[in-house]
Amino acid sequence: MMSALGIKTARLTASRFGDILLWLATAFPWMLMTALIVALLSLAPAHAEEAASDSCGGKDLMAELQKSDPAKYASILAEGDKVANGKSIFWKIEKLGLKPSWLLGTMHVSDARVVTMPKGAAEASAGADTIVVESDEILDDKKAMAALFGNPSLMMLTDGSTISQHLSPEENAKLEAGLKQRGVSLATVAHMQPWLISSSFEMTGCEVRRKTAGMKFLDQKLASDAIASGKQVKGLETLAEQAKAMSDLPIELHVKSLIQTLELGDKINDVNETMTDLYLAGNIGAIVPMLKSIVPDQNLSDDDTAAFEQRIILDRNKVMAERAAPILAKGNAFIAVGALHLVGDQGLVELLRKQGFTVTAAN
C-alpha cells in the first residue's frame, strides 16, 4: 500500500500530493502493509485466479489530458524531461575490474505488467550473484511484523491522543464516512498513526486482493526467486528504519495527506494507472509533474514539503548508496529499489556515479 517515489528540477518542495507519492516513492514494504490493511479492513482473500484477472479499473489521465489540454500535457512532459536520470528504470553499473551490476527502479505492486520487468532485467537478475532489495525482511512477514510492533510509536499514536483530535469536525466526518464504506468503525483506527490510516485508502482494492491471494509484488518476487535459486539476498534498510522515516515527519503533514487521500476517493485508481503507464514507458521524471497537475492543492508549507523530501527521499537515498557500495565492490549484483529513488541529482544513479561507477541506461 508502495512509492516513491531526490528530484531537483521537479522538487517535492513544490509538490502538493503528500502520501500519494509515498505509494511509489518510499518503497514502503507493501507485503507488510497488506497484512496490516487486510486486518484493518477485514477483507476476505480472493482466489489466485480471480485476483490475477482483477482490474483496478483506472484510466490513464495523461492520455485524457493529451486530448483535452494538449498544452498542459506538453508542459508536464517538458517538466519531466528536466529531471536528471528520469528516462529509464533499468541501469547498468560498471567499474574496471568488476563484473557489471544492475539497478532496477520498481513499483511495489503485483501488477503483471510491472512484475514482467523491462527487457534484459530478468536475464540480469537470473545471472547475478546477489539480489539486493530495500529490505530483505520482506521474505519473512512474521519477523517483519515483530520488528515493527516492537516499537509501537512507529505505528500508533502513543501520546494518548486519537486521530479525531488531530482533525477538524468536517475532516473527522470525512474520515468516518470513508471508513464506513470499508466496513470499519472510527474507533478501530482511533489510535493509529495517520499515515497508516491513509495507506488503507491509498492501496487500490485490486492490489489488496491480488496480494492477499498470495501474488508477490515485484521486489518480493525477485527476493523469493533468488532464495529459491540459492542466491544471496541483502537489504539496504530495515522495515523499522522505513517506518521511522514516516513517523519522523510532522503529524500535521500526514493529517493533511490523509484528508487529501479521502477526497480523491476512487480517483486513486486513475492515479495508480497513470503512474503505472509512465513507469512502463520509462518516463519516471514525469511522475511528479503529473501528480502536481491532477491532485488538489493542500497548501502544505515549504517547511513541511522540504522535510518530506529530505526525510523520505534524500536521506534514504544516501543510506541506500552507502550500504550498496560494499556489495557493488564485489560486482555482479542486481539492486531493485523504488523507481523515484533513482532520479535527480541526489538520486541513486548520481550517487553511485560519485562513488566511481559508470552508470548507464540499459533500456
Side-chain angles (χ1 to χ4, degrees):
M1 230 127 332
M2 321 353 347
S3 247
L5 167 23
I7 299 175
K8 184 175 182 180
T9 55
R11 290 176 61 84
L12 290 172
T13 51
S15 71
R16 306 178 298 271
F17 49 84
D19 281 354
I20 297 300
L21 182 58
L22 297 183
W23 183 86
L24 179 60
T26 65
F28 197 80
W30 287 118
M31 177 200 67
L32 170 64
M33 187 56 67
T34 298
L36 292 170
I37 293 173
V38 169
L40 173 62
L41 302 183
S42 302
L43 294 173
H47 296 294
E49 61 271 18
E50 177 187 33
S53 61
D54 191 11
S55 171
C56 291
K59 56 189 176 183
D60 185 349
L61 298 173
M62 285 291 286
E64 288 193 346
L65 194 62
Q66 185 177 17
K67 297 177 181 178
S68 64
D69 193 341
K72 189 173 185 179
Y73 171 83
S75 176
I76 292 173
L77 293 183
E79 283 299 305
D81 290 343
K82 298 176 184 177
V83 179
N85 308 312
K87 290 294 187 180
S88 179
I89 60 173
F90 187 39
W91 299 79
K92 188 175 184 179
I93 306 169
E94 298 174 286
K95 182 178 282 190
L96 188 63
L98 297 176
K99 287 185 177 180
S101 291
W102 307 87
L103 176 63
L104 176 68
T106 67
M107 289 183 71
H108 311 294
V109 296
S110 55
D111 187 321
R113 296 172 296 174
V114 173
V115 174
T116 299
M117 295 194 292
K119 183 179 179 181
E123 293 79 4
S125 62
D129 294 328
T130 305
I131 301 297
V132 183
V133 291
E134 291 180 13
S135 175
D136 56 0
E137 292 171 331
I138 61 174
L139 290 164
D140 187 339
D141 57 344
K142 291 182 180 179
K143 179 180 178 182
M145 295 287 282
L148 284 177
F149 283 102
N151 185 349
S153 65
L154 297 179
M155 317 295 286
M156 310 297 289
L157 296 169
T158 56
D159 60 358
S161 68
T162 65
I163 185 63
S164 295
Q165 290 174 293
H166 297 278
L167 303 174
S168 69
E170 181 182 359
E171 291 168 342
N172 197 65
K174 288 180 181 179
L175 174 59
E176 191 166 17
L179 290 168
K180 186 176 181 180
Q181 289 178 350
R182 291 158 176 78
V184 179
S185 70
L186 182 58
T188 303
V189 303
H191 295 284
M192 288 185 178
Q193 289 275 4
W195 64 263
L196 181 55
I197 302 172
S198 183
S199 296
S200 71
F201 292 99
E202 289 170 20
M203 181 176 278
T204 58
C206 63
E207 185 62 26
V208 172
R209 289 189 289 272
R210 287 196 295 253
K211 288 175 179 175
T212 54
M215 298 177 69
K216 295 179 174 65
F217 59 93
L218 176 54
D219 313 61
Q220 187 183 21
K221 185 177 186 303
L222 282 167
S224 297
D225 289 349
I227 292 294
S229 300
K231 295 180 184 291
Q232 187 175 36
V233 175
K234 293 188 176 182
L236 299 177
E237 301 174 302
T238 66
L239 302 189
E241 286 175 329
Q242 292 182 336
K244 186 166 189 312
M246 296 285 286
S247 62
D248 280 348
L249 292 171
I251 192 171
E252 293 81 10
L253 185 153
H254 286 310
V255 167
K256 292 176 183 178
S257 297
L258 168 60
I259 297 305
Q260 181 184 28
T261 303
L262 288 169
E263 291 176 344
L264 275 175
D266 290 340
K267 194 175 182 180
I268 191 65
N269 292 325
D270 299 335
V271 173
N272 169 72
E273 183 63 24
T274 308
M275 286 196 297
T276 300
D277 287 343
L278 287 172
Y279 171 85
L280 294 172
N283 195 0
I284 305 304
I287 289 178
V288 171
M290 178 275 294
L291 287 168
K292 287 167 60 179
S293 76
I294 66 171
V295 179
D297 189 359
Q298 285 295 303
N299 297 316
L300 296 179
S301 70
D302 288 345
D303 286 344
D304 278 345
T305 49
F308 178 92
E309 178 185 20
Q310 188 64 50
R311 189 68 189 93
I312 300 300
I313 305 292
L314 304 184
D315 287 352
R316 293 178 59 215
N317 287 351
K318 292 176 182 177
V319 170
M320 289 182 189
E322 290 170 0
R323 293 177 180 174
I327 302 172
L328 291 172
K330 298 179 181 179
N332 202 28
F334 186 95
I335 301 176
V337 299
L340 284 184
H341 287 293
L342 275 56
V343 302
D345 63 352
Q346 296 184 64
L348 277 182
V349 171
E350 207 58 42
L351 291 177
L352 293 179
R353 286 173 178 158
K354 291 179 180 178
Q355 291 180 3
F357 293 98
T358 299
V359 188
T360 53
N363 63 327

